[in-house]
Amino acid sequence: MSSPEIASLSWGQMKVKGCSTTYKDCKVWPGGSRTWDWRETGTNHSPGVQPADLEEVLKKGVKTVVIGRGMSEALQVPASTVDYLKKHGIDVLVLQTEKAVAEYNALAAQGVKVGGLFHSIC
């Protein structure tokens, strides 16, 4: 199963190829995507992305995770979260969201088992 392409990105809106939903924040993995609802884990811009935010994506067997920090990089990604991924043998890229989407799409096109968490505002 391949990771779906992110078809479009603009402020507050993301579209994933093959999915009719428009996301503000989303999680993607080989074979699927869904809304990334920060309320599920109590995520906020600071301290930012927590291991609990990543669990669902990791369970899909990804080898690489791309995290989009927002258009102005307001979303934090603590070193402890990056360390958590590395301890699980996962490559991680943390980038501004437009750059993160480009990198994610490039990896997906190469057939890499890649997942992502993307914040499309701030």
Side-chain angles (χ1 to χ4, degrees), residues 4-29 31-37 56 71 97 101 104 116-121:
E5 176 188 344
I6 296 174
S8 67
L9 168 67
S10 60
W11 185 273
Q13 295 189 341
M14 296 183 70
K15 296 284 287 176
V16 174
K17 192 172 187 175
C19 180
S20 60
T21 305
T22 298
Y23 301 113
K24 180 181 85 161
D25 299 315
C26 73
K27 296 182 180 187
V28 291
W29 57 82
S33 64
R34 80 169 181 94
T35 295
W36 176 17
D37 183 350
E56 178 180 18
M71 300 301 214
T97 296
V101 165
Y104 167 88
L117 279 72
F118 302 99
H119 180 46
S120 73
I121 59 173

Side-chain angles (χ1 to χ4, degrees), residues 30-121:
S33 64
R34 80 169 181 94
T35 295
W36 176 17
D37 183 350
W38 291 15
R39 294 172 295 190
E40 292 171 357
T41 57
T43 298
N44 211 318
H45 287 102
S46 182
V49 181
Q50 302 301 304
D53 295 308
L54 297 157
E55 283 298 322
E56 178 180 18
V57 174
L58 296 184
K59 288 178 183 171
K60 306 296 184 181
V62 300
K63 301 295 180 212
T64 302
V65 171
V66 181
I67 301 173
R69 294 187 50 210
M71 300 301 214
S72 303
E73 300 184 85
L75 178 61
Q76 301 300 302
V77 180
S80 58
T81 298
V82 172
D83 290 344
Y84 170 82
L85 288 165
K86 288 182 178 176
K87 282 180 188 162
H88 283 82
I90 306 295
D91 292 327
V92 59
L93 298 166
V94 178
L95 301 163
Q96 185 267 356
T97 296
E98 290 162 309
K99 291 176 182 161
V101 165
E103 190 65 35
Y104 167 88
N105 280 342
L107 290 166
Q110 294 167 25
V112 174
K113 290 191 76 152
V114 61
L117 279 72
F118 302 99
H119 180 46
S120 73
I121 59 173

